[in-house]
Amino acid sequence: NAGVTQTPKFRILKIGQSMTLQCTQDMNHNYMYWYRQDPGMGLKLIYYSVGAGITDKGEVPNGYNVSRSTTEDFPLRLELAAPSQTSVYFCASSVVKGISGELFFGEGSRLTVL
Amino acid sequence: GESVGLHLPTLSVQEGDNSIINCAYSNSASDYFIWYKQESGKGPQFIIDIRSNMDKRQGQRVTVLLNKTVKHLSLQIAATQPGDSAVYFCAENSGGSNYKLTFGKGTLLTVNP
């Protein structure tokens, strides 16, 4: 199984440009998440989804948008990129079965805004 | 500020020694905790989890201890190996649900051969 797949792995944007980070999972997980990780810091939750058609804001949603039209896909849209959005972005999914809330992460997408 | 934090940002140990990584949390409502390992250039990987109705949980070479009185979590790695070198994060379900986790800043563990 591929697990959680993110594209692109690297991207450089100019200030004001827009782009979409793609995320897909093949584990049939209901829950999906987008985190950002700044250097030397932990992960901050941007948006999450508990199922197709349902999304909600996390800790740091400003400047981002998401959609969840299918169980498999959870793209993250950056509108009007700003230098403060330079970060590594991680998509994750989980099934939340029983007591376990284990998240399965993708390899990350490194974004630089210049 | 961070509701989940770490006492030591870096930890250096000799191969074969035991490692202890500590984590403090401030949200007394959290009842589920996870440790993740992140190797350079990769996404975090699940190591072990524990619920608040337990004080200790063991896995393969790892043990998580939870002290709810002082809101402290630790990860013990036995017989540390070079492959254990990574950043370790603790996370809590500060939102009260398993699927919304708050992560600490992480501790960099370096294992010297």
Side-chain angles (χ1 to χ4, degrees), chain B residues 51-89:
Chain B
R51 292 204 70 90
S52 59
N53 60 353
M54 302 173 70
D55 297 322
K56 178 180 180 179
R57 194 168 187 215
Q58 288 184 293
Q60 188 175 12
R61 280 201 308 118
V62 296
T63 301
V64 56
L65 299 177
L66 176 62
N67 186 330
K68 295 178 288 294
T69 302
V70 295
K71 299 190 186 72
H72 186 266
L73 192 69
S74 69
L75 177 71
Q76 300 178 359
I77 304 173
T80 314
Q81 302 168 0
D84 294 327
S85 294
V87 177
Y88 290 81
F89 294 96

Side-chain angles (χ1 to χ4, degrees), chain A residues 43-81:
Chain A
L43 290 89
K44 299 285 188 183
L45 182 63
I46 304 171
Y47 271 95
Y48 68 98
S49 169
V50 300
I54 305 169
T55 63
D56 209 345
K57 296 177 181 179
E59 297 176 73
V60 290
N62 291 343
Y64 307 94
N65 277 300
V66 294
S67 60
R68 185 94 183 272
S69 57
T70 66
T71 299
E72 295 79 16
D73 300 307
F74 191 42
L76 177 71
R77 178 80 177 166
L78 281 73
E79 304 282 2
L80 299 175

Side-chain angles (χ1 to χ4, degrees), chain A residues 32-47:
Chain A
M32 295 189 74
Y33 317 79
W34 275 104
Y35 286 88
R36 60 176 287 172
Q37 184 177 34
D38 298 324
M41 302 293 287
L43 290 89
K44 299 285 188 183
L45 182 63
I46 304 171
Y47 271 95

Side-chain angles (χ1 to χ4, degrees), chain A:
Chain A
N1 284 342
V4 178
T5 303
Q6 293 181 232
T7 56
K9 292 193 187 309
F10 303 93
R11 183 72 186 268
I12 297 175
L13 283 180
K14 294 181 179 179
I15 294 172
Q17 286 186 318
S18 300
M19 75 159 296
T20 299
L21 298 178
Q22 301 291 343
C23 176
T24 187
Q25 53 94 7
D26 61 1
M27 296 173 283
N28 201 33
H29 287 171
N30 284 337
Y31 297 84
M32 295 189 74
Y33 317 79
W34 275 104
Y35 286 88
R36 60 176 287 172
Q37 184 177 34
D38 298 324
M41 302 293 287
L43 290 89
K44 299 285 188 183
L45 182 63
I46 304 171
Y47 271 95
Y48 68 98
S49 169
V50 300
I54 305 169
T55 63
D56 209 345
K57 296 177 181 179
E59 297 176 73
V60 290
N62 291 343
Y64 307 94
N65 277 300
V66 294
S67 60
R68 185 94 183 272
S69 57
T70 66
T71 299
E72 295 79 16
D73 300 307
F74 191 42
L76 177 71
R77 178 80 177 166
L78 281 73
E79 304 282 2
L80 299 175
S84 61
Q85 293 179 302
T86 295
S87 189
V88 181
Y89 292 83
F90 288 98
C91 180
S93 71
S94 69
V95 64
V96 192
K97 186 175 182 179
I99 66 167
S100 174
E102 178 184 354
L103 300 180
F104 293 82
F105 284 87
E107 295 282 285
S109 298
R110 184 176 295 274
L111 176 67
T112 302
V113 182
L114 301 175

